[in-house]
Amino acid sequence: MIMNGRRGFTLIELIAVIAILGILASIISLAISGFVKSSRQRVCEINSIQIEKLYGAELALTGADHSDSLFNQFVEQYGDCCPTGGLYSFVDNSVVCSIHTEESVGESEVEGVPYL
């Protein structure tokens, strides 16, 4: 700060502070977008588990066998369960999302690799 009778900040000091705040804001926005993506995926996983349990109970109570049309009618009762618009299907006695199932498979393979 130059002292010539006035108190204040120089232009360089103000630009440095603005640059630092900009860098911090960009880091925070990247972190928040990662949290939002992972929370949407987690909500989808939880919803698919709940639909799987409810659909299994529905089949057991009615004594019906699984069919794709019956599952689609069942899922339509709950509206859009996937926050990103994925479609649920019933594969090998489990409910899978058309968007988040592929992502979770890729992440589980990466988790098994140790990082040095």
Side-chain angles (χ1 to χ4, degrees), residues 27-41 107:
I27 291 171
I28 290 171
S29 67
L30 290 173
I32 289 174
S33 68
F35 289 137
V36 168
K37 182 180 178 182
S38 65
S39 66
R40 285 182 180 157
Q41 181 175 353
E107 290 174 3

Side-chain angles (χ1 to χ4, degrees), residues 24 47 84-85 91 94:
L24 290 174
N47 287 343
T84 57
V91 178
S94 64

